[in-house]
Amino acid sequence: MMPRHTRLSGLEPLVITPDLLFVNVGERTNVTGSAQFRKLVKEDRYEEAVDVARQQVANGAQIIDVNMDEGLIDSEAAMTRFLNLIAAEPDIARVPVMVDSSKWTVIEAGLRCLQGKGIVNSISMKEGEELFLEHARKVQQYGAAVVVMAFDEQGQADTCERKVEICSRAFELLTTKLDFPPEDIIFDPNVFAIATGIEEHNNYAVDFIEATRELKRRFPDSHISGGVSNVSFSFRGNNTVREAIHSVFLYHAIKAGMDMGIVNAGALMIYDDLPEELRERVEDVVLNRRADATERLLEIADNYKAKKGEAVVENLAWRDKPVRERISHALVHGIDQYVVEDTEEARLLSTRPLDVIEGPLMDGMNVVGDLFGAGKMFLPQVVKSARVMKKAVAHLIPYIEEEKARTGDAGKSNGKIVMATVKGDVHDIGKNIVGVVLRCNNFDVIDLGVMVPAQKILETAIAEKADIIGLSGLITPSLEEMSQVAREMQRQNFQIPLMIGGATTSRAHTALKIEPHYKSPTVWVKDASRAVGVAQSLLSKELVDAFIAKIKEEYADVRERHRQRGNGKSLVPLDKARAQRFTTDWASYEPPQPKQPGITVFNDYDLAELRAYIDWSPFFNAWELAGRYPAILDDEIVGKQARELFNDAQAMLDKLIAEKWLTARAVIGFWPANSVGDDITLLPLPSGERAGVRGQDLPEPTNKPLAVLHHLRQQVDKPIERPDFCLSDFVAPKSSGKQDWVGGFAVTAGIGIDAHVARFEAEHDDYSAILLKALADRLAEAFAERLHERVRREFWGYAPEESLDNHALIDEKYLGIRPAPGYPACPDHTEKATLFRLLDATNNAGIELTDGFAMFPTAAVSGWYFSHPDSQYFVVGRLTREQVYDYAHRKGWTREEAERWLAPNLDYDPD
């Protein structure tokens, strides 16, 4: 039998599986539990009250509990107003809400405001079974889960036996009378205060834990929750002891089966981190292990009562260490607050300013490098360490220049590397990260930026006496440009190593297309974590020969396997692939006409709206943190750093949205279309007002197409029932007599970014500069996602009732597709030129194309819209010479032009 999991949602789903172990319900948006929140609500300071909810989510709350039960507050009005406010905040509204009240009218007011599936807290049998079932029935109608209190006609249950008895009775009523899903039932067996001095209270925590164990055994699909802060109420005023009690209580309750709790997500102590004496005495109280447990805890409680300023002294204890250790600590932990004063202190203690760099700073960075190499530090931390290093070096530069002028002593580095993103490409996040990591390891890096012509790269390398050249690129045309740079290096008799990196590069491409053109060492660098090892090996007299012999052997093996790839991977002739095209019954299909044909322009689109559509997984991948969001935040290996990086990203998002650092612009368009073979012909819009009206006859297509979109077809040898796809297959053929439509889009979220990146770089803050670029990229992708949603529902309107959450959008659960030129379904980047002409994207959205068909600003996305319900993403893959020549003919290209632009897809070696 399949396990039944509770499924809740805000803007994002929350599926409660055993893997989650424990679900944090944030408690600070509760007027009965938070004096601060109560004060904000009573004083009508709702904007600040919303920030309390935001902080709870940022601190790890997976659900937020909202309670407005206070005598001087209109609870219904306050609940409605607050829930409507947080519903407009995507970073809060992404989590489910627990509507918490002792008044049913307040609960119902809250349920009317929820946009996902929430939880009612709570119902009970204190007024009998009839009202209990009536309330449960309404909860069902609203589609919510429910907390059931261990409370009946006789009162609240305080013993284990009563807790189990009442909860079991409630379960029986709900499941037999109402068919209430067991997974939507959450028991609250009552958490009561312990250590009150009243003997009857001493076993309250044990009663809860044992009742939890029995309820979980009886009802494994249901959940156990409770208000954790109640257990420590007798120690109010001593937060350290209270948090220790919460930690110990949860440790044992979770082991017994408690899987949900109302807690302050930001104030949970780790059980193993508790001082041994405190943990032992708290455990005596929680587990009622000895009669004098309360008195013994009271004896030491004052020792843990926080005194004013104590936490700061503890946090800054490292400031009392010698300056070398302080610098190392700051570098390892990425703390730049004190680095200038510490660097100055170290300079005054040194003979030369360079001694500070070559001594404590490099010692600290060596620790960082060792930890990074051992997988004990991760890329975001290294970039923060680099920020500290750069600020320290910036302070020393004037003194070093003065020393150099006086003595000629310039110090030493591990080597000089000239790096550049090649001509035609504007992407540089990965290159910038590699540069930071290399500088951290005492390499002198000269970064020439983006779109750098080959000759400038080579001239700079000569002028700077570079030891290595590093080339980077993201788009596929960059691969050909890198090959050209290698040829030019060989022609000019360069003998320094060449490093290759970037998202589209690979060991195979480097071995096949670049290394054969340059006789000196050519090495593909997979990611930033490998850059230092490669550079050190290339420049080490002891290591270089063995390293290069190994690389050459690997590349020779790649080339041999490429030559021997054999008939097992043969492709089918183009005619056969076309005969096995995707087909549908066009006679019974009516292509939907857009509700708003032609061009629509969006200026200064609201970034706050786009924030909710961000796909965070690629963001973490850009920082070389492997995992899928949100699971990565709790990953055993990278979770801590992922969460820290995520919090930094959220803080910067708040700031860039509030201060309007970036401007988002876009343009979309729709045109009449029909397929003709593997191409798609676009026609001018019908004249007059009839173009936008459904149901009217459209004029006959003219003989003068607006544009022709050229596409490529898969040539994979497949079973007969599996088509060889081409994008033209998803558009009604001209021979069908049906008028179809194709759309296009171009979006950017990068306008205005350069000034802020320059500001960060001037402040030696590479971390923030890279973070901003990564966020702009995510916002651009989110913009593409949001516009496509609006296209389906509004502008084209073929799916007006669509209602998908962000996870479903990321998983492409919608109808239709938006393939981008240069990507797997249409790998020819040059088709962007047609798209941009149709959209007038440069004027309408502020996006330009480079010679290599990269988009600028970099944070930009463009592509086509297809509406057919069976349209799907696919990979064109490898192409035969026959199709490449056919494509060249259709495009009006020479064979050489086609082979150049389609080089990554060729299944043959060009003549």
Side-chain angles (χ1 to χ4, degrees):
M1 184 176 176
M2 291 289 289
R4 302 177 65 154
H5 298 315
T6 305
R7 298 176 184 274
L8 307 172
S9 69
L11 292 177
E12 299 177 5
L14 173 64
V15 182
I16 303 177
T17 66
D19 295 339
L20 286 181
L21 296 180
F22 185 79
V23 176
N24 284 325
V25 183
E27 67 169 356
R28 309 311 291 173
T29 47
N30 183 326
V31 297
T32 66
S34 168
Q36 177 204 10
F37 186 71
R38 179 169 63 250
K39 186 171 187 288
L40 294 174
V41 172
K42 289 176 76 171
E43 294 177 2
D44 206 37
R45 291 154 61 189
Y46 276 85
E47 288 188 6
E48 293 170 71
V50 167
D51 286 336
V52 175
R54 181 176 286 109
Q55 186 179 33
Q56 285 285 279
V57 176
N59 282 337
Q62 293 148 289
I63 300 169
I64 53 172
D65 177 87
V66 180
N67 182 301
M68 296 293 183
D69 287 359
E70 210 275 351
L72 298 179
I73 295 174
D74 181 343
S75 300
E76 287 182 47
M79 180 68 78
T80 301
R81 182 177 177 187
F82 186 71
L83 291 183
N84 285 334
L85 283 171
I86 64 173
E89 302 287 337
D91 53 334
I92 305 171
R94 66 185 179 84
V95 303
V97 171
M98 179 180 280
V99 181
D100 185 353
S101 180
S102 59
K103 304 171 189 172
W104 179 254
T105 55
V106 177
I107 286 176
E108 199 156 11
L111 285 170
R112 293 191 194 103
C113 301
L114 298 189
Q115 53 189 334
K117 179 179 178 180
I119 304 172
V120 166
N121 186 11
S122 60
I123 63 174
S124 75
M125 295 184 292
K126 67 180 177 181
E127 296 180 55
E129 292 183 1
E130 187 177 341
L131 188 61
F132 172 71
L133 289 171
E134 181 185 330
H135 287 164
R137 191 175 289 109
K138 286 187 176 177
V139 172
Q140 247 185 326
Q141 289 168 355
Y142 280 105
V146 69
V147 174
V148 177
M149 295 294 294
F151 201 145
D152 67 3
E153 300 88 343
Q154 299 171 40
Q156 285 184 286
D158 53 359
T159 66
C160 175
E161 292 73 18
R162 283 264 296 146
K163 293 174 194 286
V164 173
E165 175 201 332
I166 294 171
C167 291
S168 298
R169 178 181 161 208
F171 183 89
E172 182 71 15
L173 287 168
L174 290 171
T175 55
T176 59
K177 300 277 188 183
L178 299 181
D179 197 25
F180 207 98
E183 65 271 22
D184 284 348
I185 298 172
I186 302 160
F187 298 116
D188 185 339
N190 303 327
V191 178
F192 294 130
I194 55 175
T196 62
I198 301 171
E199 187 177 349
E200 289 80 2
H201 297 177
N202 291 349
N203 211 50
Y204 277 166
V206 174
D207 283 317
F208 181 95
I209 292 166
E210 292 308 316
T212 294
R213 197 183 317 278
E214 178 60 19
L215 289 170
K216 203 65 181 173
R217 185 188 69 78
R218 293 188 185 190
F219 314 116
D221 291 328
S222 300
H223 301 282
I224 316 291
S225 181
V228 176
S229 61
N230 294 346
V231 75
S232 66
F233 191 70
S234 59
F235 283 89
R236 60 192 181 280
N238 189 331
N239 284 340
T240 303
V241 172
R242 289 197 74 175
E243 289 163 15
I245 293 172
H246 299 163
S247 176
V248 170
F249 174 77
L250 280 171
Y251 176 78
H252 292 284
I254 290 170
K255 284 211 297 186
M258 183 182 184
D259 47 16
M260 187 182 294
I262 300 175
V263 295
N264 182 354
L268 279 177
M269 298 173 74
I270 298 171
Y271 178 83
D272 286 340
D273 287 349
L274 293 171
E276 190 173 342
E277 178 190 48
L278 178 61
R279 184 174 66 217
E280 180 190 351
R281 297 201 183 190
V282 166
E283 210 147 34
D284 285 343
V285 169
V286 169
L287 299 180
N288 195 17
R289 293 194 298 208
R290 49 192 296 166
D292 61 348
T294 299
E295 289 74 21
R296 293 179 76 247
L297 180 56
L298 285 168
E299 284 173 12
I300 67 167
D302 277 348
N303 299 341
Y304 296 95
K305 195 166 187 177
K307 312 247 181 347
K308 198 166 185 178
E310 185 174 281
V312 175
V313 172
E314 182 182 353
N315 289 341
L316 298 181
W318 65 279
R319 299 295 304 148
D320 296 327
K321 294 180 179 179
V323 68
R324 291 181 74 98
E325 292 181 45
R326 295 202 304 270
I327 288 174
S328 180
H329 181 96
L331 286 164
V332 171
H333 293 276
I335 303 168
D336 63 355
Q337 187 176 354
Y338 309 98
V339 69
V340 172
E341 61 189 77
D342 286 348
T343 302
E344 177 60 12
E345 183 180 335
R347 184 186 73 82
L348 294 174
L349 293 172
S350 302
T351 305
R352 309 174 306 153
L354 273 169
D355 291 342
V356 182
I357 293 177
E358 294 173 358
L361 284 170
M362 281 316 302
D363 288 347
M365 289 312 297
N366 286 338
V367 174
V368 171
D370 290 344
L371 290 171
F372 184 50
K376 295 177 181 177
M377 272 182 84
F378 301 98
L379 198 55
Q381 293 166 287
V382 174
V383 178
K384 283 184 176 179
S385 298
R387 174 170 61 185
V388 179
M389 180 75 168
K390 288 185 82 171
K391 288 188 176 182
V393 171
H395 174 73
L396 292 169
I397 288 292
Y399 301 103
I400 292 171
E401 292 296 330
E402 183 182 317
E403 177 86 8
K404 182 180 176 182
R406 189 165 52 83
T407 67
D409 186 357
K412 61 176 187 280
S413 78
N414 284 335
K416 185 177 285 188
I417 302 176
V418 169
M419 295 176 61
T421 299
V422 295
K423 178 185 173 185
D425 201 329
V426 295
H427 299 86
D428 66 351
I429 292 179
K431 170 177 65 68
N432 291 351
I433 290 174
V434 169
V436 167
V437 173
L438 287 168
R439 289 187 186 101
C440 287
N441 286 271
N442 202 28
F443 285 92
D444 184 5
V445 177
I446 298 167
D447 188 342
L448 297 180
V450 300
M451 295 201 299
V452 187
Q455 194 53 37
K456 182 178 179 181
I457 296 170
L458 304 189
E459 287 173 356
T460 305
I462 293 168
E464 295 289 342
K465 297 183 172 61
D467 299 299
I468 296 174
I469 290 175
L471 302 180
S472 176
L474 184 137
I475 61 175
T476 49
S478 299
L479 300 175
E480 179 63 21
E481 183 63 24
M482 290 178 186
S483 180
Q484 290 297 115
V485 174
R487 285 187 177 94
E488 191 59 21
M489 289 176 72
Q490 183 61 38
R491 191 185 71 81
Q492 295 188 29
N493 201 30
F494 272 72
Q495 295 181 0
I496 62 174
L498 174 62
M499 297 200 310
I500 301 294
T504 58
T505 63
S506 66
R507 175 182 282 103
H509 182 270
T510 304
L512 294 168
K513 304 293 185 181
I514 301 177
E515 199 242 13
H517 302 300
Y518 184 51
K519 292 180 181 177
S520 293
T522 304
V523 184
W524 175 64
V525 183
K526 184 178 181 182
D527 53 43
S529 66
R530 292 165 170 80
V532 172
V534 170
Q536 288 174 337
S537 297
L538 288 171
L539 298 183
S540 165
K541 291 179 181 177
E542 294 79 19
L543 299 176
V544 63
D545 290 342
F547 178 71
I548 290 304
K550 178 173 175 289
I551 293 293
K552 285 188 173 294
E553 184 181 339
E554 286 179 2
Y555 290 179
D557 183 55
V558 169
R559 287 191 288 270
E560 183 60 26
R561 280 188 280 117
H562 177 73
R563 276 192 292 270
Q564 299 290 330
R565 56 191 185 277
N567 294 330
K569 296 183 180 180
S570 63
L571 304 180
V572 300
L574 184 57
D575 284 347
K576 182 177 179 183
R578 284 173 172 165
Q580 201 162 316
R581 67 190 305 124
F582 164 83
T583 57
T584 191
D585 183 6
W586 293 109
S588 61
Y589 175 72
E590 287 302 324
Q593 181 178 330
K595 293 182 181 297
Q596 197 164 320
I599 300 296
T600 303
V601 174
F602 304 85
N603 287 311
D604 199 10
Y605 203 95
D606 184 7
L607 294 176
E609 179 182 324
L610 302 182
R611 184 178 193 163
Y613 291 82
I614 290 177
D615 177 3
W616 286 102
S617 296
F619 171 79
F620 292 108
N621 292 339
W623 290 89
E624 296 183 11
L625 296 177
R628 186 167 182 183
Y629 174 83
I632 191 173
L633 300 180
D634 299 307
D635 184 87
E636 186 178 340
I637 297 171
V638 302
K640 181 182 176 184
Q641 294 315 315
R643 191 172 290 279
E644 186 177 315
L645 176 63
F646 185 67
N647 290 340
D648 289 345
Q650 296 303 315
M652 184 174 279
L653 268 176
D654 290 341
K655 200 170 180 65
L656 74 85
I657 291 171
E659 298 178 9
K660 297 185 179 297
W661 290 3
L662 305 176
T663 300
R665 294 179 63 188
V667 55
I668 61 174
F670 307 99
W671 305 276
N674 284 113
S675 62
V676 179
D678 291 348
D679 292 337
I680 300 171
T681 300
L682 302 190
L683 302 171
L685 286 171
S687 59
E689 296 179 352
R690 302 199 307 153
V693 180
R694 277 178 169 275
Q696 293 190 357
D697 293 333
L698 294 168
E700 289 296 317
T702 69
N703 292 324
K704 294 182 179 178
L706 187 66
V708 176
L709 315 183
H710 302 286
H711 292 294
L712 292 156
R713 182 170 297 282
Q714 292 179 315
Q715 289 185 266
V716 183
D717 193 2
K718 300 181 184 180
I720 192 68
E721 68 275 7
R722 290 176 52 206
D724 273 321
F725 289 108
C726 176
L727 284 174
S728 64
D729 295 348
F730 305 128
V731 177
K734 187 176 181 181
S735 59
S736 70
K738 298 286 181 79
Q739 181 69 78
D740 211 335
W741 293 75
V742 164
F745 70 95
V747 308
T748 180
I751 295 170
I753 193 173
D754 290 342
H756 297 284
V757 169
R759 172 168 58 86
F760 286 130
E761 290 176 346
E763 295 167 355
H764 314 292
D765 189 355
D766 285 326
Y767 178 74
S768 294
I770 294 168
L771 185 61
L772 178 56
K773 288 182 179 182
L775 287 174
D777 281 355
R778 288 297 90 217
L779 285 167
E781 293 286 356
F783 198 178
E785 191 74 80
R786 172 58 174 148
L787 267 194
H788 194 195
E789 180 183 56
R790 292 189 65 188
V791 162
R792 296 189 300 273
R793 293 168 61 176
E794 302 172 43
F795 300 104
W796 200 328
Y798 61 82
E801 304 301 320
E802 178 187 289
S803 180
L804 299 174
D805 60 33
N806 200 39
H807 283 292
L809 292 175
I810 291 168
D811 290 340
E812 299 164 0
K813 302 297 186 185
Y814 45 77
L815 291 178
I817 55 174
R818 59 170 191 276
Y823 286 81
C826 43
D828 178 9
H829 277 272
T830 70
E831 286 291 292
K832 284 197 199 106
T834 304
L835 175 64
F836 270 54
R837 176 174 61 80
L838 289 164
L839 294 169
D840 195 8
T842 301
N843 287 324
N844 286 329
I847 310 170
E848 298 177 2
L849 285 178
T850 69
D851 292 344
F853 296 94
M855 292 174 286
F856 187 82
T858 311
V861 184
S862 64
W864 306 108
Y865 292 134
F866 291 80
S867 68
H868 194 281
D870 291 327
S871 60
Q872 58 186 272
Y873 296 104
F874 59 90
V875 178
V876 166
R878 292 176 296 113
L879 305 171
T880 62
R881 196 184 302 265
E882 178 190 17
Q883 182 166 191
V884 172
Y885 291 5
D886 177 88
Y887 190 73
H889 176 72
R890 288 187 278 134
K891 290 273 289 189
W893 278 349
T894 63
R895 184 192 68 193
E896 290 77 17
E897 284 176 302
E899 289 174 338
R900 179 188 169 205
W901 288 108
L902 300 176
N905 294 81
L906 301 183
D907 191 52
Y908 61 95
D909 295 320
D911 298 334

